[in-house]
Amino acid sequence: MERTFVMVKPDGVQRGLVGEIVSRFERRALKVTGMKMMWIPRELAERHYEEHRDKPFFEPLLSYITSGPVVCMVLEGENAVSVIRTMMGKTNPQDAMPGTIRADFAQATGRNLVHGSDSPESARREIKLFFNDYELHEYQKPEEDWLFES
Ligand code: IDP
Ligand code: MG
């Protein structure tokens, strides 16, 4: 099983889409192993997005992501990183496939509702940035026996 870091960004919270977005992951039987609301301090936002430090959109990105509370999650499932990236859709919602979160609810790259780690290495780094060990939980769900061929 793989874990990934997912965030409903401030626009998702303000637009009342937390339930809709989380529900899509739950329906897909991805397991929520951690979840919390937070208002990201600028310093943490800078570390989270450090790969984009030299991009022209870095400052607008920081002010977007710190503009209101977000909902952070750790989700677990087979190939969770790529499964969730597919469910999110392309960075620019206008290029995203219908049926993806970004295509179904967003219109602009700078207001694209969700973040999901882009590789297992990024996932490990981001989970550590946002969660303490005691905020992550291992548990069994009865439906698990029905998710995969044994
Ligand atoms: P991702 O979120 O699909 O992984 P990244 O390229 O890692 O996309 O960019 C991180 C975030 O930065 C995007 O989700 C989006 O919010 C923002 N962003 C990326 N490119 C642009 C841009 O050209 N203009 C404005 N914001 C951007
Ligand atoms: Mg990214």
Side-chain angles (χ1 to χ4, degrees), residues 49-101:
Y49 280 126
E50 69 193 3
E51 65 172 311
H52 297 307
R53 197 171 287 276
D54 299 326
K55 309 264 173 67
F57 59 83
F58 187 61
E59 271 307 320
L61 173 58
L62 288 192
S63 63
Y64 165 41
I65 214 69
T66 60
S67 62
V70 301
V71 173
C72 300
M73 280 163 275
V74 176
L75 297 178
E76 192 177 287
E78 240 182 49
N79 299 312
V81 168
S82 72
V83 164
I84 284 168
R85 292 283 295 188
T86 303
M87 291 174 77
M88 286 166 37
K90 291 219 174 125
T91 307
N92 181 347
Q94 294 176 18
D95 298 332
M97 292 285 285
T100 61
I101 295 164

Coordinates of all heavy atoms in Angstrom, one line a residue, residues 49-101:
Y49 N 6.2 24.2 -1.2 CA 6.3 24.5 -2.6 C 7.8 24.9 -3.1 O 7.9 25.6 -4.0 CB 5.3 25.6 -3.0 CG 3.9 25.1 -3.2 CD1 2.9 25.6 -2.5 CD2 3.6 24.0 -4.1 CE1 1.5 25.2 -2.7 CE2 2.3 23.6 -4.3 CZ 1.3 24.1 -3.6 OH 0.0 23.7 -3.8
E50 N 8.8 24.4 -2.3 CA 10.1 25.0 -2.6 C 10.6 24.7 -4.0 O 11.4 25.4 -4.6 CB 11.1 24.5 -1.5 CG 11.4 23.0 -1.6 CD 12.2 22.5 -0.3 OE1 12.4 23.3 0.6 OE2 12.5 21.3 -0.3
E51 N 10.1 23.6 -4.6 CA 10.5 23.3 -6.0 C 10.1 24.5 -7.0 O 10.7 24.6 -8.1 CB 10.0 22.0 -6.5 CG 8.4 22.0 -6.6 CD 7.8 20.8 -7.3 OE1 8.3 20.3 -8.3 OE2 6.9 20.2 -6.7
H52 N 9.2 25.3 -6.6 CA 8.7 26.3 -7.4 C 9.2 27.7 -7.1 O 8.8 28.7 -7.6 CB 7.1 26.4 -7.4 CG 6.5 25.1 -7.9 ND1 6.7 24.6 -9.1 CD2 5.5 24.3 -7.3 CE1 6.0 23.5 -9.3 NE2 5.3 23.3 -8.2
R53 N 10.2 27.7 -6.2 CA 10.7 29.0 -5.7 C 11.1 30.0 -6.7 O 10.9 31.2 -6.6 CB 12.0 28.7 -4.8 CG 12.3 29.9 -3.9 CD 13.4 29.4 -2.9 NE 12.9 28.6 -1.8 CZ 12.3 29.0 -0.7 NH1 12.2 30.3 -0.5 NH2 11.9 28.1 0.2
D54 N 11.6 29.5 -7.9 CA 12.1 30.4 -8.9 C 11.1 30.7 -10.0 O 11.4 31.4 -11.0 CB 13.4 29.9 -9.5 CG 14.5 29.8 -8.5 OD1 14.5 30.6 -7.6 OD2 15.3 28.8 -8.6
K55 N 9.9 30.2 -9.8 CA 8.9 30.3 -10.9 C 8.2 31.7 -10.7 O 8.0 32.2 -9.6 CB 7.8 29.2 -10.8 CG 8.4 27.8 -10.8 CD 8.4 27.2 -12.1 CE 9.1 25.9 -12.1 NZ 8.4 24.8 -11.4
P56 N 7.7 32.2 -11.8 CA 7.0 33.5 -11.7 C 5.7 33.5 -10.8 O 5.3 34.5 -10.3 CB 6.6 33.9 -13.1 CG 6.8 32.6 -13.9 CD 7.8 31.8 -13.2
F57 N 5.1 32.3 -10.7 CA 3.9 32.2 -10.0 C 4.1 31.8 -8.5 O 3.1 31.6 -7.8 CB 2.9 31.1 -10.6 CG 3.5 29.7 -10.7 CD1 3.4 28.8 -9.6 CD2 4.1 29.3 -11.9 CE1 4.0 27.6 -9.7 CE2 4.6 28.0 -12.0 CZ 4.5 27.1 -10.9
F58 N 5.4 31.9 -8.0 CA 5.6 31.4 -6.6 C 4.9 32.4 -5.6 O 4.2 31.9 -4.7 CB 7.1 31.4 -6.4 CG 7.5 30.8 -5.0 CD1 7.2 29.5 -4.7 CD2 8.2 31.6 -4.1 CE1 7.5 29.0 -3.5 CE2 8.6 31.1 -2.9 CZ 8.2 29.8 -2.6
E59 N 5.1 33.7 -5.8 CA 4.4 34.6 -4.8 C 2.9 34.5 -4.8 O 2.3 34.3 -3.8 CB 4.9 36.0 -5.0 CG 6.2 36.4 -4.3 CD 6.1 36.1 -2.8 OE1 5.0 36.4 -2.1 OE2 7.1 35.7 -2.2
P60 N 2.3 34.6 -6.0 CA 0.8 34.4 -6.0 C 0.4 33.0 -5.5 O -0.6 32.9 -4.8 CB 0.5 34.4 -7.5 CG 1.6 35.1 -8.2 CD 2.8 34.9 -7.3
L61 N 1.2 32.0 -5.7 CA 0.9 30.7 -5.2 C 0.9 30.7 -3.6 O 0.0 30.1 -3.0 CB 1.9 29.6 -5.7 CG 1.8 28.2 -5.1 CD1 0.5 27.6 -5.3 CD2 2.9 27.3 -5.8
L62 N 2.0 31.3 -3.1 CA 2.0 31.4 -1.6 C 0.9 32.2 -1.0 O 0.3 31.8 0.0 CB 3.4 32.1 -1.2 CG 4.6 31.3 -1.3 CD1 5.8 32.0 -0.6 CD2 4.5 29.8 -0.8
S63 N 0.5 33.3 -1.7 CA -0.6 34.0 -1.1 C -1.9 33.3 -1.3 O -2.8 33.3 -0.4 CB -0.7 35.5 -1.6 OG -0.9 35.5 -3.0
Y64 N -2.1 32.5 -2.4 CA -3.3 31.7 -2.5 C -3.4 30.6 -1.4 O -4.4 30.5 -0.7 CB -3.2 31.0 -3.9 CG -4.1 29.8 -4.2 CD1 -5.4 29.8 -3.8 CD2 -3.6 28.8 -5.0 CE1 -6.2 28.7 -4.2 CE2 -4.4 27.7 -5.3 CZ -5.7 27.7 -4.9 OH -6.5 26.6 -5.2
I65 N -2.3 29.9 -1.2 CA -2.3 28.8 -0.3 C -2.4 29.2 1.1 O -2.8 28.4 2.0 CB -1.1 27.8 -0.6 CG1 -1.5 26.4 -0.4 CG2 0.1 28.2 0.1 CD1 -2.5 25.8 -1.5
T66 N -2.0 30.4 1.4 CA -2.1 30.9 2.8 C -3.3 31.9 3.0 O -3.4 32.6 4.0 CB -0.9 31.7 3.2 OG1 -0.6 32.8 2.3 CG2 0.4 30.8 3.2
S67 N -4.2 31.9 2.0 CA -5.3 32.9 2.0 C -6.5 32.4 2.9 O -7.4 33.2 3.1 CB -5.8 33.2 0.6 OG -6.4 32.0 0.0
G68 N -6.5 31.2 3.4 CA -7.6 30.7 4.2 C -7.2 29.3 4.7 O -6.2 28.7 4.2
P69 N -8.0 28.7 5.5 CA -7.7 27.3 6.0 C -7.8 26.3 4.8 O -8.6 26.5 3.9 CB -8.8 27.1 7.0 CG -9.8 28.1 6.9 CD -9.2 29.3 6.1
V70 N -7.1 25.2 5.0 CA -7.1 24.1 4.1 C -7.4 22.8 4.9 O -7.3 22.8 6.1 CB -5.7 24.0 3.4 CG1 -5.3 25.2 2.6 CG2 -4.6 23.6 4.4
V71 N -7.7 21.8 4.1 CA -7.9 20.5 4.8 C -6.9 19.5 4.2 O -6.8 19.3 3.0 CB -9.3 20.0 4.6 CG1 -9.5 18.5 5.1 CG2 -10.4 20.9 5.3
C72 N -6.0 19.1 5.2 CA -4.9 18.2 4.8 C -5.3 16.7 5.1 O -5.9 16.4 6.1 CB -3.7 18.5 5.6 SG -3.1 20.2 5.3
M73 N -4.8 15.9 4.2 CA -5.1 14.4 4.4 C -3.9 13.6 4.0 O -3.2 14.0 3.1 CB -6.2 14.0 3.4 CG -7.6 14.3 3.8 SD -8.7 14.2 2.4 CE -8.5 15.8 1.6
V74 N -3.9 12.4 4.6 CA -3.0 11.4 4.1 C -3.9 10.2 3.7 O -4.8 9.8 4.5 CB -2.0 10.9 5.2 CG1 -1.2 9.7 4.7 CG2 -1.1 12.0 5.6
L75 N -3.8 9.8 2.4 CA -4.7 8.8 1.9 C -3.8 7.6 1.5 O -2.7 7.7 1.0 CB -5.4 9.3 0.7 CG -6.4 10.4 0.9 CD1 -7.1 10.9 -0.4 CD2 -7.5 10.0 1.9
E76 N -4.4 6.4 1.7 CA -3.7 5.2 1.4 C -4.4 4.3 0.5 O -5.7 4.2 0.5 CB -3.5 4.5 2.8 CG -2.6 3.3 2.8 CD -2.5 2.7 4.2 OE1 -1.9 3.4 5.1 OE2 -3.1 1.7 4.5
G77 N -3.7 3.7 -0.4 CA -4.3 2.7 -1.4 C -3.2 2.2 -2.3 O -2.1 2.7 -2.3
E78 N -3.6 1.2 -3.2 CA -2.6 0.7 -4.1 C -2.3 1.8 -5.1 O -3.3 2.4 -5.7 CB -3.2 -0.5 -4.9 CG -2.4 -1.7 -4.7 CD -2.9 -2.9 -5.4 OE1 -3.2 -2.8 -6.6 OE2 -3.1 -4.0 -4.8
N79 N -1.1 2.2 -5.3 CA -0.7 3.2 -6.2 C -1.4 4.5 -6.0 O -1.8 5.3 -6.9 CB -0.9 2.8 -7.7 CG 0.0 1.6 -8.1 OD1 1.2 1.6 -7.8 ND2 -0.6 0.6 -8.6
A80 N -1.6 4.8 -4.7 CA -2.4 6.0 -4.3 C -1.9 7.3 -4.9 O -2.7 8.1 -5.3 CB -2.4 6.1 -2.8
V81 N -0.6 7.5 -5.1 CA -0.1 8.7 -5.6 C -0.6 8.9 -7.0 O -1.2 10.0 -7.3 CB 1.5 8.7 -5.7 CG1 2.0 9.9 -6.5 CG2 2.0 8.8 -4.2
S82 N -0.5 8.0 -7.9 CA -0.9 8.2 -9.3 C -2.4 8.1 -9.5 O -3.0 8.8 -10.3 CB -0.2 7.3 -10.3 OG -0.6 6.0 -10.1
V83 N -3.0 7.2 -8.7 CA -4.5 7.1 -8.7 C -5.1 8.5 -8.4 O -6.0 9.0 -9.1 CB -5.0 6.0 -7.8 CG1 -6.5 6.2 -7.5 CG2 -4.7 4.6 -8.3
I84 N -4.6 9.1 -7.4 CA -5.2 10.4 -6.9 C -4.8 11.5 -7.9 O -5.6 12.4 -8.2 CB -4.7 10.7 -5.5 CG1 -5.6 9.8 -4.6 CG2 -4.9 12.2 -5.1 CD1 -5.2 9.7 -3.2
R85 N -3.6 11.5 -8.4 CA -3.3 12.5 -9.5 C -4.2 12.4 -10.6 O -4.7 13.4 -11.2 CB -1.8 12.4 -10.0 CG -0.7 12.6 -8.9 CD -0.5 14.1 -8.7 NE 0.1 14.8 -9.8 CZ 0.5 16.1 -9.8 NH1 0.4 16.8 -8.7 NH2 0.9 16.7 -10.9
T86 N -4.6 11.2 -11.0 CA -5.5 11.0 -12.1 C -6.9 11.6 -11.7 O -7.6 12.2 -12.5 CB -5.6 9.5 -12.5 OG1 -4.3 9.1 -12.8 CG2 -6.5 9.3 -13.7
M87 N -7.3 11.3 -10.5 CA -8.6 11.8 -10.0 C -8.7 13.3 -10.0 O -9.7 13.9 -10.1 CB -9.0 11.2 -8.7 CG -9.2 9.7 -8.7 SD -9.5 9.0 -7.0 CE -11.2 9.6 -6.7
M88 N -7.5 13.9 -9.7 CA -7.5 15.4 -9.6 C -7.5 16.1 -11.0 O -8.1 17.1 -11.1 CB -6.1 15.8 -8.9 CG -6.1 15.6 -7.5 SD -4.4 15.7 -6.8 CE -3.7 17.1 -7.7
G89 N -6.9 15.5 -11.9 CA -6.9 16.1 -13.3 C -5.7 17.0 -13.4 O -5.0 17.3 -12.5
K90 N -5.5 17.5 -14.7 CA -4.3 18.3 -14.9 C -4.3 19.6 -14.1 O -5.3 20.1 -13.8 CB -4.2 18.7 -16.4 CG -4.0 17.4 -17.3 CD -3.0 17.8 -18.5 CE -2.6 16.6 -19.2 NZ -2.9 16.7 -20.6
T91 N -3.1 20.2 -13.9 CA -2.9 21.4 -13.1 C -3.8 22.5 -13.6 O -4.4 23.2 -12.8 CB -1.4 21.8 -13.2 OG1 -0.6 20.7 -12.9 CG2 -1.1 23.0 -12.3
N92 N -3.8 22.7 -14.9 CA -4.8 23.7 -15.5 C -6.1 23.0 -15.7 O -6.3 22.2 -16.6 CB -4.2 24.2 -16.8 CG -5.1 25.3 -17.4 OD1 -6.3 25.5 -17.0 ND2 -4.7 26.0 -18.4
P93 N -7.1 23.4 -14.9 CA -8.4 22.8 -15.0 C -9.0 22.8 -16.4 O -9.8 21.9 -16.8 CB -9.3 23.6 -14.0 CG -8.3 24.2 -13.1 CD -7.1 24.5 -13.9
Q94 N -8.6 23.8 -17.2 CA -9.1 23.8 -18.6 C -8.6 22.7 -19.5 O -9.2 22.4 -20.5 CB -8.8 25.2 -19.2 CG -9.6 26.3 -18.5 CD -9.2 27.7 -19.0 OE1 -8.7 27.9 -20.1 NE2 -9.5 28.7 -18.2
D95 N -7.5 22.1 -19.0 CA -7.0 20.9 -19.8 C -7.3 19.6 -19.1 O -7.0 18.6 -19.6 CB -5.4 21.0 -19.8 CG -4.9 22.3 -20.5 OD1 -5.6 22.7 -21.4 OD2 -3.8 22.7 -20.2
A96 N -8.0 19.7 -18.0 CA -8.3 18.5 -17.2 C -9.4 17.7 -17.9 O -10.3 18.3 -18.5 CB -8.6 18.8 -15.8
M97 N -9.4 16.4 -17.7 CA -10.5 15.5 -18.3 C -11.7 15.7 -17.5 O -11.7 15.6 -16.2 CB -10.0 14.1 -18.2 CG -8.9 13.7 -19.2 SD -9.4 13.6 -20.9 CE -10.2 12.0 -20.8
P98 N -12.9 15.7 -18.2 CA -14.2 15.7 -17.4 C -14.2 14.5 -16.5 O -13.7 13.4 -16.8 CB -15.2 15.5 -18.6 CG -14.5 16.0 -19.8 CD -13.1 15.7 -19.6
G99 N -14.8 14.7 -15.3 CA -14.8 13.6 -14.4 C -13.7 13.7 -13.3 O -13.8 13.1 -12.3
T100 N -12.7 14.6 -13.6 CA -11.7 14.8 -12.6 C -12.2 16.0 -11.7 O -13.0 16.8 -12.2 CB -10.4 15.2 -13.3 OG1 -10.5 16.4 -14.0 CG2 -9.9 14.0 -14.1
I101 N -11.6 16.1 -10.5 CA -12.0 17.1 -9.6 C -11.8 18.5 -10.2 O -12.7 19.4 -10.2 CB -11.2 17.0 -8.3 CG1 -11.6 15.7 -7.6 CG2 -11.5 18.2 -7.4 CD1 -10.6 15.2 -6.5

